[in-house]
């Protein structure tokens, strides 16, 4: 049966399309999660628990940067004074399943974007429909960059901060597996979605919900918010905070320029 025109589709037809979008996306995530099962040893030992070791790439980079800047070893990380323990019988099983699902979601993200584009496609002009590949490409690139930023910057800085922070020498850090994995999932997903801000601003500007003036007006609040976040997830030194804050501020500035471009295009 031929696909109905959007003007002929009822509310229930749209719900049916949305249901199949969710079904196909879920299947894609499950399939990719099953693929990650075969590399689970590498996934956990090297990737997930990599930031818990002083030899992790980010820590060695900071050590070399500290030497290059001539500030001694002020940002050089040589030890991780904590252990990670499992306190629940099914804890490791649950962690294994959820990490595979998370990896499956990240790997299948371009396909999920394609499904979303097909869902909203009927409501777009022909010229906009032709930009599907461009939309999926740049959205995927931004998401993967955000994931890498979360993994190589946010997670190591957060781990180092909580590992070295102590209210007394009497207290020893012993983190639960769930709390560590929760931080990993939150940092990676939040960073990946934050890097989608330019794409979100693009569509919000096209809908007239956001304007360049609005973004410029609230720029100072965004800067303060970013600096607060950077201060929370990093050790109390300017270099670390700058490394975290600059990419986030650049993303916000890029969103403003995208909003300006869309606004000018609409006026023309």
């Amino acid at each position: 049966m031929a696909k109905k025109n959007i003007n002929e589709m009822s509310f229930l037809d749209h719900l049916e399309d949305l249901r199949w979008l969710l079904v196909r996306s879920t299947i894609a995530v499950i399939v990719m999660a099953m693929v990650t099962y075969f590399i689970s040893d590498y996934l956990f030992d090297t990737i997930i628990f990599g930031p818990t070791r002083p030899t992790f790439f980010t820590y060695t980079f900071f050590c070399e940067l500290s030497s290059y800047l001539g500030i001694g070893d002020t940002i050089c990380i040589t030890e991780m004074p904590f252990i990670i323990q499992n306190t629940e019988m099914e804890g490791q099983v649950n962690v294994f399943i959820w990490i595979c699902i998370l990896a499956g979601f990240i790997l299948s993200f371009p396909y999920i974007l394609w499904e979303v584009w097909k869902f909203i496609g009927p409501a777009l002009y022909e010229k906009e429909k032709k930009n599907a590949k461009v939309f999926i490409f740049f959205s995927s690139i931004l998401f993967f960059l955000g994931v890498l930023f979360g993994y190589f910057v946010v997670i190591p800085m957060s781990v180092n901060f909580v590992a070295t922070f102590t209210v007394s020498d009497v207290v020893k850090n012993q983190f639960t597996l769930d709390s560590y994995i929760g931080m990993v999932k939150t940092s990676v997903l939040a960073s990946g979605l934050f890097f989608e801000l330019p794409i979100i601003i693009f569509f919000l500007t096209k809908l007239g919900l956001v304007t360049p003036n609005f973004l410029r007006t609230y720029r100072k609040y965004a800067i303060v918010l970013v600096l607060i976040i950077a201060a929370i997830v990093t050790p109390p030194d300017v270099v670390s905070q700058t490394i975290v804050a600059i990419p986030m501020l650049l993303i916000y500035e890029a969103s403003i320029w995208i909003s300006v471009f869309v606004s000018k295009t609409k006026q023309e």
Side-chain angles (χ1 to χ4, degrees):
M1 186 173 66
K3 187 174 178 65
K4 294 182 180 179
N5 185 279
I6 186 171
N7 296 321
E8 301 173 351
M9 295 178 67
S10 66
F11 178 70
L12 291 179
D13 290 330
H14 287 295
L15 284 181
E16 180 68 9
D17 283 350
L18 179 61
R19 182 174 74 88
W20 280 108
L21 181 156
L22 296 174
V23 169
R24 289 191 293 268
S25 298
T26 301
I27 291 174
V29 172
I30 293 174
V31 169
M32 297 309 297
M34 293 173 65
V35 170
T36 60
Y37 169 81
F38 296 101
I39 57 169
S40 57
D41 289 342
Y42 177 82
L43 177 63
F44 281 91
D45 292 340
T46 304
I47 299 179
I48 300 300
F49 294 111
T52 65
R53 304 185 181 97
T55 55
F56 187 62
F57 170 80
T58 303
Y59 304 138
T60 56
F61 170 78
F62 278 173
C63 218
E64 294 174 0
L65 180 63
S66 179
S67 176
Y68 176 79
L69 294 176
I71 55 177
D73 58 352
T74 54
I75 57 174
C76 194
I77 300 166
T78 57
E79 62 175 344
M80 288 290 166
F82 69 92
I83 63 170
I84 297 176
Q85 58 181 348
N86 177 49
T87 59
E88 300 179 4
M89 291 187 64
E90 70 280 8
Q92 296 197 55
V93 175
N94 291 337
V95 164
F96 181 86
I97 293 173
W98 282 110
I99 287 298
C100 286
I101 291 175
L102 174 64
F105 174 78
I106 293 173
L107 294 175
S108 61
F109 189 76
Y111 175 78
I112 295 174
L113 286 176
W114 172 249
E115 287 290 340
V116 172
W117 186 266
K118 287 197 301 180
F119 179 71
I120 66 176
L124 302 174
Y125 296 110
E126 282 300 321
K127 183 179 179 181
E128 294 172 326
K129 291 179 182 179
K130 295 178 181 178
N131 294 328
K133 293 181 179 179
V134 176
F135 164 76
I136 294 171
F137 175 78
F138 282 105
S139 297
S140 299
I141 291 297
L142 287 172
F143 179 75
F144 291 138
L145 285 175
V147 168
L148 292 175
F149 177 75
Y151 179 71
F152 284 106
V153 179
V154 178
I155 292 176
M157 293 296 92
S158 300
V159 169
N160 178 57
F161 175 74
V162 297
T164 55
F165 180 84
T166 177
V167 295
S168 172
D169 293 337
V170 176
V171 182
K172 303 301 179 183
N173 286 325
Q174 297 182 358
F175 305 134
T176 64
L177 179 62
D178 282 344
S179 65
Y180 175 76
I181 295 299
M183 183 206 62
V184 170
K185 292 189 296 184
T186 301
S187 300
V188 167
L189 285 179
S191 298
L193 295 177
F194 178 79
F195 271 57
E196 292 293 300
L197 183 62
I199 303 298
I200 297 172
I201 294 299
F202 174 85
F203 284 104
L204 291 179
T205 304
K206 287 186 70 71
L207 293 172
L209 299 177
V210 169
T211 64
N213 289 334
F214 174 85
L215 295 174
R216 291 191 185 104
T217 300
Y218 287 90
R219 176 194 277 130
K220 54 181 177 291
Y221 300 107
I223 293 175
V224 172
L225 180 61
V226 167
L227 292 177
I228 291 175
I229 294 174
I232 291 175
V233 301
T234 61
D237 64 81
V238 177
V239 176
S240 301
Q241 294 172 8
T242 302
I243 290 174
V244 173
I246 286 180
M248 300 173 71
L249 293 175
L250 290 177
I251 288 292
Y252 188 84
E253 290 298 323
S255 301
I256 295 178
W257 285 106
I258 288 174
S259 183
V260 170
F261 172 78
V262 174
S263 296
K264 288 182 178 180
T265 304
K266 288 176 64 177
Q267 290 174 1
E268 294 173 357

